[in-house]
Amino acid sequence: MKAEKVIDVEPVGQVILVRNERSRYFRLRVKPNGHAHVSMPVLASESKAIEFVKSKTDWIQEQQQKLKTGLTVFGQDSAFRTKFHQLKIVKVKQAKVSNLIGNGIIQINIPEKYDHQHPSIQQFIRRTLTEVMRYEAKAYLPFRLKELADKHQFQFEKVFVKHVKSRWGSCSHTNNINLNVHLMRLPEPLIDYVILHELAHTKEKNHSKSFWDLLELVCPGSKKLDKELKNYHVDVF
């Protein structure tokens, strides 16, 4: 049985207190709407809950700020996937956070006593996802780049796969091509669009009409794909 009460605690704002007969101690999380949510023992006092919330003010505000800036907070309901793997977060009866990667699954094991929103756990998840994407990207992107270059008769020098937070890809004046590991989060048509976009820059170094005409020739519907790409963000985590 659960009983809820909503209170205001400065400076974090609205806090939801939930008395839970299965709770033996206070547990805190910040919901997607930015409100702090406290699960507490049935017999615990409200003043103790407020004291607990105030002791976590810095952490709560940090999570609220991340939500405002669009930084992803990963949880058991997250639908995050890469080209070859899907994220699965599970609560387990063990002492340490761990991961298990295989059969198309990135499994993050979180001890039952820990809140998945804790910064150290979120950092562990982000590091794991980044390493998986890096592995995927280095195996897939150079191969796909050469495949599309050969198909459309483009020539490039070197290819570099990097983890950056600014752009999906780039082409240098010497025709070296940089591709972002985060491309592995995109649908396949958008991965190909980014690759062809950079290959087109080996012939047209700006975004002139000639560039877009060339890109449309090798990638029909390029302007539509370019708009679709703007719905994705490189730096959400």
Side-chain angles (χ1 to χ4, degrees):
M1 180 178 179
K2 298 180 180 180
E4 294 189 5
K5 182 176 181 179
V6 180
I7 61 174
D8 285 317
V9 179
E10 293 298 331
V12 300
Q14 193 172 96
V15 176
I16 303 169
L17 303 181
V18 181
R19 295 184 184 274
N20 188 337
E21 57 189 17
R22 292 191 295 179
S23 294
R24 291 183 294 175
Y25 41 80
F26 292 105
R27 287 185 176 177
L28 171 67
R29 62 190 176 96
V30 176
K31 301 179 77 172
N33 61 8
H35 295 161
H37 185 284
V38 178
S39 179
M40 57 190 285
V42 173
L43 298 179
S45 68
E46 184 176 312
S47 61
K48 284 289 185 182
I50 294 173
E51 183 180 331
F52 172 72
V53 170
K54 288 183 176 180
S55 73
K56 303 293 184 181
T57 294
D58 290 346
W59 182 80
I60 294 171
Q61 290 184 309
E62 180 183 353
Q63 302 310 304
Q64 290 172 331
Q65 184 59 36
K66 287 179 179 179
L67 289 169
K68 287 179 182 178
T69 57
L71 188 66
T72 301
V73 177
F74 297 100
Q76 288 175 285
D77 297 329
S78 295
F80 185 95
R81 65 180 308 117
T82 68
K83 182 169 176 57
F84 301 110
H85 293 84
Q86 182 169 355
L87 175 65
K88 181 180 181 182
I89 296 177
V90 297
K91 287 297 185 78
V92 294
K93 296 181 182 296
Q94 65 183 40
K96 295 182 179 180
V97 181
S98 65
N99 59 40
L100 184 64
I101 302 165
N103 299 318
I105 299 294
I106 306 167
Q107 182 168 313
I108 306 293
N109 301 312
I110 301 176
E112 291 179 340
K113 64 180 180 179
Y114 293 153
D115 185 341
H116 72 277
Q117 292 188 80
H118 192 278
S120 64
I121 292 178
Q122 288 295 310
Q123 288 169 8
F124 179 87
I125 296 171
R126 293 185 185 103
R127 283 198 302 269
T128 299
L129 295 178
T130 299
E131 288 307 308
V132 171
M133 287 190 296
R134 193 190 309 276
Y135 176 83
E136 289 186 9
K138 288 185 175 180
Y140 178 78
L141 293 177
F143 165 80
R144 187 56 176 161
L145 175 66
K146 186 177 186 309
E147 193 172 51
L148 290 173
D150 290 346
K151 179 180 178 180
H152 298 289
Q153 298 182 326
F154 288 109
Q155 293 185 343
F156 63 93
E157 291 299 320
K158 297 178 181 179
V159 57
F160 300 95
V161 177
K162 300 180 179 181
H163 177 213
V164 296
K165 295 184 177 182
S166 56
R167 57 177 65 183
W168 296 108
S170 63
C171 177
S172 73
H173 69 283
T174 56
N175 291 341
N176 291 328
I177 291 181
N178 298 297
L179 297 172
N180 196 325
V181 298
H182 286 269
L183 284 169
M184 306 314 294
R185 297 161 53 195
L186 298 181
E188 191 165 320
L190 290 181
I191 296 176
D192 283 355
Y193 166 73
V194 172
I195 291 173
L196 287 167
H197 185 113
E198 302 312 329
L199 285 172
H201 277 311
T202 63
K203 295 186 177 180
E204 297 288 343
K205 295 301 183 185
N206 51 39
H207 290 101
S208 63
K209 183 179 183 303
S210 296
F211 167 84
W212 287 107
D213 288 345
L214 173 60
L215 185 55
E216 183 64 25
L217 186 65
V218 298
C219 183
S222 56
K223 284 292 184 70
K224 181 179 178 182
L225 289 168
D226 189 69
K227 289 181 181 179
E228 186 178 343
L229 185 64
K230 289 179 171 58
N231 293 325
Y232 296 83
H233 303 280
V234 179
D235 56 351
V236 293
F237 73 84

